[in-house]
């Protein structure tokens, strides 16, 4: 996927199932290689992330596509389901 990186700032992030995840606040980038390795999200959904911080960083490999929004794979709920099974 190729896009102007500044176009990602401020976009809402949803899973492929339509669940709100957060808003793109910043990018984690390997400048030497010129690749994005993660998205720093703010305004995160506390349903997905039970963390005391204001934001999280998700791996860029989760991103499916971007346009008016960023669409990611629904991997977070898979982690949750594993946690419930372990309880």
């Amino acid at each position: 996927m190729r896009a102007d990186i500044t176009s990602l700032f401020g976009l809402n992030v949803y899973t492929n199932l339509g669940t709100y995840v957060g808003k793109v606040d910043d990018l984690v980038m390997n400048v030497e290689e010129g690749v994005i390795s993660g998205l720093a999200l703010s305004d995160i959904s506390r349903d997905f992330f039970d963390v005391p911080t204001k934001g999280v960083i998700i791996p860029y490999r989760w991103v499916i596509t971007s346009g008016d929004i960023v669409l990611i794979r629904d991997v977070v709920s898979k982690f949750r389901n594993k946690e419930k099974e372990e309880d």
Side-chain angles (χ1 to χ4, degrees):
M1 173 180 10
R2 206 173 169 144
D4 181 16
I5 61 172
T6 60
S7 68
L8 296 172
F9 293 114
L11 292 182
N12 290 321
V13 179
Y14 290 87
T15 68
N16 56 325
L17 299 178
T19 305
Y20 177 78
V21 177
K23 185 178 294 271
V24 178
D25 191 51
D26 207 349
L27 304 173
V28 179
M29 186 171 179
N30 181 326
V31 179
E32 292 174 1
E33 294 180 18
V35 295
I36 299 171
S37 61
L39 297 179
L41 305 183
S42 62
D43 190 29
I44 57 174
S45 170
R46 297 298 173 183
D47 292 335
F48 271 82
F49 302 105
D50 185 22
V51 294
T53 60
K54 292 182 180 182
V56 296
I57 296 175
I58 61 169
Y60 192 71
R61 67 179 178 274
W62 290 1
V63 174
I64 298 171
T65 191
S66 66
D68 293 335
I69 64 168
V70 176
L71 196 62
I72 66 168
R73 290 178 180 80
D74 187 40
V75 295
V76 177
S77 66
K78 290 179 185 176
F79 291 127
R80 273 197 163 161
N81 291 338
K82 285 182 183 179
E83 287 176 1
K84 288 179 182 177
E85 290 171 4
E86 291 174 1
D87 290 341

